[in-house]
Structures are given as C-alpha cells and as structure tokens.
Amino acid sequence: MSKIGIIGIGNVGSTLAHTLIERHHVTDLYLFDKNKERCVAEQQDLICAQIGQKTTTTIHIGQKEDLATLDLVVFSVGNIRLLNGSGSRFDELDFTKKAAKEWSKYLTNYAFKGILLVITNPCDVITHYMQQLTNFETNRVIGTGTSLDTARLQHALSLAFDVMPNAINALVLGEHGATQFVPWDYVKTLNPQLDFTKHDLEQLANQALMIGETTFTGKGYTSFGIANQADQLICALTSSQKTFYPVSAYDSKQDIYIGQYASLNYTGIIDISPISLTEKEEQAYQKSVSWIKEMATHI
C-alpha cells in the first residue's frame, strides 16, 4: 500500500486509478492533470465507486508540492487520437514530448524521490527523454514498454491453441510498437504437448500486434489492458520482493530505453536479465534500436 500519483487523467489514467483502488493497491491516490475540472470529476466519481465496498483509498487533487511525498508517479499524458490508426508511435511524439518536458520540470523542482513509471507513447523514447530531463537514476525511471505486448501475445496464443492465457509464459522485447519481436525460446505453456515453434511464428506474433490494432479501431483508445499491466508493475515497484517483468529499461550499450526483461522491487530496476537471442532475433532487436533512435532525433 503506497502513495501513488497519476499525471494525466484521461482514458488510461482514470482506468488505472480505478484499477488500483478496486484491487486495494493504493492508500492515497493523487490525481494530476492540466484540466482541473477533469481531476475533480474523476475524484468524485472514484469516491462514489468505493461506497458500499471495502476499499479505503483517500483520493486527492494533486498539488505540485505533493510530488515530494509520493512513492511512485505514473506519467500517462497522451492523445491517442493522434495515432490515426497508423500503428506508428511517431505520430504521438510532438504532443507528448512537450508534456514530458513540462512535467519533468515539476518532478525535479518539487523534489520527487520515488519511482517514475511512464506509460505515455512513444513509450521508449518518452521514458528516456524524461530520465534525461530529470537526471533521475536510470533504475528508477521505467516505461511500461512491452509488458502490454507480452499480455497481448499470451492472449493471441490462447486463442490460437485454445488454452487459458495465464497458462502461457510469454515474452515480447524491443520497441513498444511495430518493431517489437518475440524471443520464442522463452515462450512456454503449462501443456508440454503444445509446441508453438511448429507453427508460423511470424503469423502468431502478428496476431498479437493485431489485438492492439483491433482494440484501438473498435474503441478509439486502449485502457483496460494497459491499466492491468501498470497495476502489476506498481505492485512490483512498491514491494520488497523481487519480481520479473518485461519493461522499457535503459540499455547502456545503445544509450536508449527499450523493452527488456528486468527484475524489479521498490528500488526500481534491480538488474536486466540476459536473454539469449537467435541471429534473427538479434537483428530484430537492432531494428527496434534503430527505430527508437530515429524517433529520438525528433525530440
């Protein structure tokens, strides 16, 4: 149980707020948004959502000086309508880099000392940009990265092989976007008779990508899936127990943030787990690296 702040109370931020409260994962929740009326509206709605329930979260309209007291802040400012169904995170960059610059100033000026979890897209680029702007240690600036893509892969495989998603251990690495890839040696199922590698792996990976596209096309945004993943990451990042997740983490060799498999606890990223890649997967990783670096030149 922790003091959590959410910057950006749109579709994702508000869904995450409700998820944290429903699952009893936050003691005090602070809502930050340039639209003050939206903050008040969400505060009142979330308070009413607890009536008759066993949740006891105190919900605050965040003031900038509150940042100094928080254990973890989620940055979820965005405008997914800018994506226009292209699948390219590049389309969101001009808007989100301005928001990142503004809020990074507040985080440093008001002495935030906790973990910064970035959802805002393009996730890898914005996470790195906020780390550079704040000069926070790289281990405590983390992006949700390919955690959602991994969940979508579990979903796609569950549909393809008629098994429960939680019966599949999956992993997606690289960019949170079109150049993501799957290291198939790390995809396992509780049913040893199912062998994914005997199937068209490219098609299976594409089906996972299409789940995100279908969600966006039908709703105009995504919210529940990413809120679920962010909630799980927040639990890991406010716990003393070591937990492993795919996240957007700093790659010191490439000097970028990119989807990697990391161990986490309340200190942030403890270390990056080495993943053995095939030659084709290494090429895919380098493709993600190149694309993230290309986007970063437009910051």
Side-chain angles (χ1 to χ4, degrees):
M1 302 290 280
S2 305
K3 297 176 70 173
I4 307 295
I6 300 177
I7 299 173
I9 314 300
N11 295 317
V12 173
S14 59
T15 305
L16 174 58
H18 187 256
T19 302
L20 287 166
I21 292 168
E22 283 283 295
R23 296 179 182 177
H24 302 253
H25 290 163
V26 57
T27 304
D28 288 84
L29 183 63
Y30 291 76
L31 307 179
F32 298 86
D33 199 289
K34 292 183 71 173
N35 185 339
K36 299 303 181 184
E37 290 183 356
R38 179 64 183 262
C39 277
V40 172
E42 292 294 354
Q43 179 197 43
Q44 299 307 312
D45 205 10
L46 290 167
I47 290 171
C48 290
Q50 294 186 85
I51 295 172
Q53 304 299 315
K54 295 181 179 180
T55 58
T56 56
T57 302
T58 302
I59 304 164
H60 309 264
I61 303 297
Q63 306 300 317
K64 294 182 179 68
E65 55 268 25
D66 293 327
L67 293 168
T69 70
L70 302 183
D71 301 303
L72 185 146
V73 163
V74 179
F75 186 69
S76 61
V77 177
N79 186 350
I80 199 169
R81 288 174 295 179
L82 299 173
L83 196 56
N84 292 322
S86 70
S88 172
R89 299 299 182 188
F90 207 116
D91 296 340
E92 301 171 274
L93 182 56
D94 188 55
F95 174 86
T96 56
K97 70 181 182 183
K98 295 174 183 176
K101 186 174 183 178
E102 178 181 1
W103 284 98
S104 292
K105 178 179 65 177
Y106 299 142
L107 288 165
T108 53
N109 288 352
Y110 291 92
F112 172 64
K113 295 180 176 61
I115 304 296
L116 177 59
L117 180 64
V118 178
I119 296 177
T120 296
N121 286 317
C123 186
D124 306 291
V125 173
I126 293 298
T127 304
H128 195 191
Y129 187 46
M130 294 194 78
Q131 187 278 322
Q132 292 174 317
L133 289 169
T134 59
N135 201 32
F136 294 159
E137 299 92 335
T138 55
N139 71 296
R140 67 183 184 102
V141 182
I142 304 160
T144 50
T146 52
S147 61
L148 177 57
D149 305 302
T150 297
R152 287 171 174 166
L153 178 61
Q154 288 175 271
H155 179 31
L157 294 175
S158 76
L159 294 175
F161 296 95
D162 194 27
V163 296
M164 296 297 292
N166 286 338
I168 300 167
N169 292 322
L171 185 60
V172 176
L173 301 177
E175 178 207 4
H176 173 53
T179 66
Q180 64 183 247
F181 71 96
V182 181
W184 285 100
D185 284 347
Y186 294 84
V187 179
K188 309 293 182 184
T189 175
L190 297 181
N191 182 350
Q193 295 179 340
L194 290 179
D195 184 0
F196 302 132
T197 60
K198 294 181 180 179
H199 298 264
D200 187 333
L201 300 183
E202 186 173 339
Q203 183 181 32
L204 291 173
N206 188 62
Q207 287 171 357
L209 268 173
M210 289 308 299
I211 287 172
E213 186 67 24
T214 301
T215 303
F216 173 79
T217 302
K219 291 178 59 172
Y221 59 93
T222 62
S223 55
F224 296 120
I226 185 57
N228 178 49
Q229 294 304 311
D231 170 74
Q232 293 179 59
L233 289 172
I234 288 168
C235 286
L237 291 166
T238 53
S239 169
S240 59
Q241 182 177 350
K242 180 189 288 190
T243 313
F244 292 83
Y245 281 95
V247 294
S248 185
Y250 184 62
D251 181 335
S252 58
K253 292 182 180 179
Q254 298 292 343
D255 188 29
I256 60 168
Y257 271 73
I258 190 169
Q260 302 178 82
Y261 195 48
S263 59
L264 315 171
N265 69 6
Y266 70 95
T267 65
I269 292 177
I270 303 169
D271 53 38
I272 304 298
S273 298
I275 298 295
S276 179
L277 302 178
T278 66
E279 183 178 349
K280 185 176 181 180
E281 290 164 357
E282 181 60 41
Q283 290 172 355
Y285 187 80
Q286 292 304 321
K287 183 178 180 180
S288 271
V289 167
S290 296
W291 179 238
I292 291 169
K293 286 184 174 181
E294 169 62 23
M295 283 191 289
T297 62
H298 294 264
I299 287 290

